[in-house]
Structure formats: structure tokens, C-alpha cells
Amino acid sequence: MSHDQGSYGPDMERAETLREIAEDVRGESSESKMVAAMLYRVSDLYDPDEETSPRDIYVNMREIIRTKES
């Protein structure tokens, strides 16, 4: 078993928990929206219907942060 599969394998309970937290922290500020977006994106690691990797999420979040800074 590879390290990534052991750490990031399918776990719908974990994905749902992350998405619930994202809903809780999402507010009107751009910062809270960005944190919520990050949590949703990380939850995709644990969703068996999503095909993503930690690297994919990192690249996506980096682009979101760069866009926000512009």
C-alpha cells in the first residue's frame, strides 16, 4: 500500500465532516470563503467519486490565493 492511499483513501465520513466544517466557517468575508473553499477541496481527497491528489489540491489552492492577491 502506498503512503498516499493509506493517508488519503476513500472515507466519506471524513469528507462529510470537512464539508460540514466548511459550511460553518463560510461567511461574508473573502477570507472565510477562501478557507471554506480549501476545506471543500481537501474533502475531495476522501470522496471516492473524486479523482484528485494532494498535489492537485495544492496547485488549485495556490491559484486561488494568487487570484485573490491580484
Side-chain angles (χ1 to χ4, degrees):
M1 179 185 294
S2 74
H3 180 267
D4 281 350
Q5 283 299 313
S7 299
Y8 307 111
D11 184 339
M12 276 308 297
E13 183 176 337
R14 184 175 285 177
E16 290 171 7
T17 299
L18 286 166
R19 292 170 183 165
E20 288 172 8
I21 294 168
E23 285 296 320
D24 287 344
V25 300
R26 185 176 175 89
E28 295 301 315
S29 73
S30 61
E31 290 83 5
S32 66
K33 289 177 183 176
M34 186 168 58
V35 169
M38 288 179 185
L39 287 167
Y40 274 115
R41 193 67 178 110
V42 169
S43 76
D44 290 345
L45 281 174
Y46 304 102
D47 188 332
D49 295 330
E50 296 288 336
E51 291 189 24
T52 193
S53 71
R55 184 180 183 334
D56 295 337
I57 291 170
Y58 168 77
V59 169
N60 184 250
M61 290 296 100
R62 185 180 64 196
E63 291 305 311
I64 289 171
I65 291 168
R66 282 185 182 163
T67 300
K68 183 187 178 301
E69 290 175 349
S70 297

